[in-house]
Amino acid sequence: MKELTVGEDVVMYFDTRGGYNNRNKITFVGSDIIKQDENIVGSYWIYDELYRMESGYEAHMLLAGEEMIELIVRCNDIIIEEE
C-alpha cells in the first residue's frame, strides 16, 4: 500500500505495477475504522472478507509487511477505481 488517508472516507492507494489490473484506489465511503494495526503503509494486501451490513459493508483486510497487519473498516459504500 502506498498511502492511507483517514477522514469521513478511508482511501487506500496501491502500486499496481505487475498486478492484474490498474485499479489503484479504493475508497470506503462514510467509513469508521473498527481495527487498524500499525505499519500499514508499505504493506501488501493478501486476503480480504467482505460482509453485507444493514447500512453498507464491513471489510476485513489482512496485509503483510514486516508482520501480519489487520484492518477492519465499516462503510456505506466501496468505490474501486483507477486514478
Side-chain angles (χ1 to χ4, degrees), residues 6 14 20 28 35 40 46 83:
V6 178
F14 296 92
Y20 297 106
F28 297 92
K35 181 177 183 183
I40 288 180
I46 59 173
E83 187 170 280

Side-chain angles (χ1 to χ4, degrees), residues 34-74:
I34 306 302
K35 181 177 183 183
Q36 178 182 349
D37 291 339
E38 295 182 9
N39 304 318
I40 288 180
V41 174
S43 63
Y44 298 91
W45 187 310
I46 59 173
Y47 182 76
D48 60 78
E49 294 178 359
L50 184 63
Y51 300 96
R52 180 75 172 129
M53 309 298 282
E54 285 183 31
S55 62
Y57 303 94
E58 188 170 290
H60 294 232
M61 294 152 275
L62 186 61
L63 302 107
E66 292 182 19
E67 55 189 52
M68 300 302 271
I69 301 162
E70 188 175 8
L71 176 64
I72 300 174
V73 177
R74 191 172 290 151

